[in-house]
C-alpha cells in the first residue's frame, strides 16, 4: 500500500480531533465572552448605584462643605479597604475627592479607556461619570477580584480542556478504528481472493454501517457474476475445442485411410473425400458461427445510435432463401407493409436467418412456418412459429446456451452446432431486448423476441 495514502481510521481520528478542538475552543470563547460581559455589567450596576445614592443624599446646603467634610461624605459610599474612588464637581466648579481619590483619578486620566474599562498597574478599573442636579459625579471601581476569579476559572477550564483532548485521542482512535475495521476486513478479503490464498470467493459483509454493508453485498454479487463468467468462458473453450476436435479427427482418420489403403483400394478414396468434404464444411460453419458469436459479444456493452431500417424486406428475403433451400417448406409473413426499427441489417438478418433455419430444420417435410412482425405496447415483437418436433419444456432455458443441442438422438441426424440461438440471444441482449420460447399448438414451438422501441 502507498505509504502517503492515509487510512480511513487516521482520517477519521484527525477529523474528530479537529472537530473536538474547535468545539472546545468555541465553548471557551463563549465562556470568556459571557464572563467579561458579567464583570462589565456588575461594575456598571455597582457604579450606578453609588452615583444614585450620592445624588439622592446631596442637599442644597452641602455646597458650603469644606474639602475634608466632602471627603468624609464621599468615603461613606466606598467599601473599606477597597481601591475605589469618587470625585465630585460641585455646580460652582469645585472638585472634591474621596480618600486617596485625587491620586487615582490622576493616574486613570493618563491611561487609555476601553469602553469605561481601564487597565493600569496590573489592576482593572471601571470608570463611570454622571451629571446629577448640577453635580458631576465620577466613580472608579476596582474590579480586580472579579477579574482574577474569572481569569482563574478560564485557566482551569483551558487546563481541563487540554486534559480532555489528550484523554480523547485514544478514545477517538478506538472509535475510528471500529468504524474502519469492516473496510480493512473487506480489503484483506479482496487481497486474499486476488492472491488466491483463500478458497472462498466472497468478502466479509458487515451488519453496519449500511453503506459498507451494501457495498460488500454488491461486491460479492460482482464476484459471483465474474466467477460465473470465467466458468462460462472456460466451458466455452472446452466445448469449442471438443466440437472442432471431432470433425478434425474424422478428417485425419480418412486421410490416413487414403494414405494406407488408397493405392490398393481406390474405391474408398471417393467415399473418404466425401466425408472429408462434409466434415470440413461442418468445421467451416462452426468456425464462422464462433466468429459471429465473438462479434455479437464484443458489441454487447454499448451500441451507437443507428438509423431505423425497414425490417419487412429483410424478412421476405430470408424467407425466400429458406424456401429455396428447403423445397417443401413454406413461410407465411404477417406484418404491416413497413416496420421501421433502429438495428444493424447484419444483426437482424442473423436473428431471422437462425430462427427460420431452426424452424425448417426441426420440422419434418412440408414445414409450415409463420412469421409475425409488429410494433405494440412499446415493443417491436417478432414471432417465429413452426409445427416441427418441438422442445421439451424443461429445456427451454438451456437451448440458448452455447453448444447445447436438445435430444442427441434427433440432433445427431439434424446438422447443427448448438451456437445459433446463443448468437441470437447475444444480439437481442445487445439491443436490450428479450427472447423467449413457448409451445405452439398442436405442435412445434414459438420463438418470441421483444425489442424496446
Ligand atoms: P443448432 O445448431 O443445434 O440448431 P441452436 O442454438 O440453433 O443450435 O439450437 C439449439 C437447440 O435448440 C437445437 O439443437 C435444438 O435441439 C433446439 N431447437 C432450436 N430451434 C428449434 C425448433 N424450432 N424446433 C425444435 N428444436 C429447436
Amino acid at each position: 500500500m502507498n505509504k502517503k495514502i492515509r487510512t480511513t481510521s487516521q482520517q477519521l481520528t484527525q477529523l474528530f480531533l479537529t472537530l473536538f478542538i474547535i468545539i472546545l475552543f468555541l465553548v471557551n470563547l463563549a465562556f470568556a465572552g459571557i464572563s467579561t460581559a458579567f464583570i462589565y455589567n456588575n461594575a456598571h450596576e455597582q457604579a450606578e448605584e453609588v452615583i444614585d445614592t450620592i445624588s439622592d443624599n446631596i442637599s442644597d446646603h452641602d455646597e458650603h462643605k469644606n474639602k475634608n467634610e466632602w471627603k468624609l461624605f464621599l468615603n461613606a459610599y466606598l467599601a473599606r479597604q477597597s481601591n475605589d474612588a469618587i470625585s465630585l464637581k460641585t455646580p460652582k466648579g469645585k472638585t472634591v475627592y474621596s480618600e486617596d481619590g485625587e491620586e487615582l483619578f490622576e493616574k486613570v486620566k493618563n491611561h487609555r479607556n476601553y469602553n469605561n474599562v481601564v487597565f493600569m498597574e496590573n489592576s482593572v478599573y471601571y470608570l463611570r461619570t454622571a451629571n446629577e442636579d448640577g453635580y458631576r459625579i465620577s466613580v472608579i471601581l476596582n474590579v480586580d477580584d472579579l477579574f482574577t476569579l474569572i481569569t482563574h476559572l478560564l485557566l482551569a477550564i483551558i487546563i481541563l480542556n487540554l486534559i480532555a483532548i489528550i484523554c480523547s485521542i485514544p478514545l477517538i482512535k478506538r472509535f475510528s478504528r471500529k468504524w474502519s475495521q469492516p473496510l480493512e476486513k473487506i480489503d484483506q478479503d479482496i487481497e486474499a481472493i486476488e492472491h488466491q490464498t483463500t478458497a472462498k470467493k466472497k468478502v466479509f459483509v458487515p451488519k453496519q454501517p449500511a453503506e459498507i454493508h451494501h457495498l460488500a453485498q454488491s461486491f460479492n454479487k460482482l464476484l459471483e457474476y465474474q466467477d460465473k463468467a470465467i466458468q462460462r468462458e472456460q466451458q466455452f473453450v472446452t466445448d469449442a475445442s471438443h466440437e472442432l476436435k471431432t470433425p478434425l479427427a474424422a478428417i485425419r482418420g480418412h486421410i490416413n485411410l487414403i494414405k494406407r489403403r488408397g493405392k490398393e483400394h481406390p474405391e474408398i478414396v471417393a467415399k473418404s473425400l466425401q466425408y472429408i468434404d462434409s466434415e470440413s464444411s461442418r468445421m467451416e460453419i462452426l468456425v464462422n458461427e464462433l466468429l459471429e458469436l465473438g462479434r455479437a459479444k464484443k458489441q454487447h456493452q454499448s451500441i451507437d445510435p443507428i438509423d431505423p431500417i425497414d425490417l419487412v424486406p429483410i424478412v421476405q428475403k430470408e424467407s425466400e432463401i429458406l424456401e429455396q433451400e428447403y423445397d417443401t417448406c413454406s413461410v407465411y409473413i404477417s406484418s404491416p407493409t413497413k416496420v421501421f426499427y433502429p438495428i444493424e441489417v447484419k444483426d437482424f438478418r442473423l436473428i431471422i436467418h437462425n430462427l427460420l433455419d431452426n424452424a425448417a430444420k426441426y420440422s419434418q417435410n412440408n414445414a409450415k412456418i409463420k412469421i409475425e412482425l409488429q410494433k405494440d405496447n412499446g415493443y417491436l415483437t417478432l414471432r417465429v412459429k413452426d409445427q416441427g418436433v418441438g422442445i421439451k419444456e424443461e429445456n427451454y432455458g438451456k437451448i440458448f446456451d452455447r453448444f447445447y443441442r436438445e435430444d442427441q438422438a434427433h440432433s445427431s441426424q439434424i446438422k447443427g452446432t448448438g451456437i445459433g440461438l446463443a448468437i441470437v440471444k447475444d444480439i437481442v441482449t445487445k439491443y436490450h431486448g428479450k427472447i423467449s420460447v413457448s409451445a405452439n399448438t398442436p405442435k412445434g414451438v414459438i420463438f418470441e423476441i421483444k425489442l424496446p422501441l
Side-chain angles (χ1 to χ4, degrees), residues 289 354-355 358-359 361-362 386 388-391 399 401 404-407 410-411 415-422 445 447:
E289 288 199 320
N354 282 349
L355 292 183
N358 278 354
K361 251 187 344 187
Y362 299 103
D386 66 49
V389 293
I391 302 171
I399 53 167
D401 291 348
Y404 178 80
R405 303 202 72 205
E406 198 201 24
D407 185 4
H410 86 242
S411 292
K415 285 210 169 122
T417 56
I419 294 182
L421 286 179
V445 282
F447 278 93

Side-chain angles (χ1 to χ4, degrees), residues 221-234:
K221 272 189 206 151
L222 183 71
L223 278 180
E224 202 179 319
Y225 174 80
Q226 291 279 54
D227 196 40
K228 276 190 186 151
I230 291 169
Q231 277 177 16
R232 267 203 312 271
E233 289 309 310
Q234 283 168 349

Side-chain angles (χ1 to χ4, degrees), residues 87 89 95 97 101-113 118-120 125 127 136 138 140:
S87 87
K89 199 173 177 187
T95 308
Y97 298 94
E102 191 168 0
E103 206 184 324
L104 193 61
F105 269 98
E106 273 310 308
K107 277 188 198 166
V108 165
K109 239 192 256 171
N110 298 328
H111 281 82
R112 260 194 93 162
N113 169 331
V118 181
F119 293 90
M120 194 170 70
Y125 294 92
L127 170 69
R136 186 172 166 76
S138 298
I140 293 180

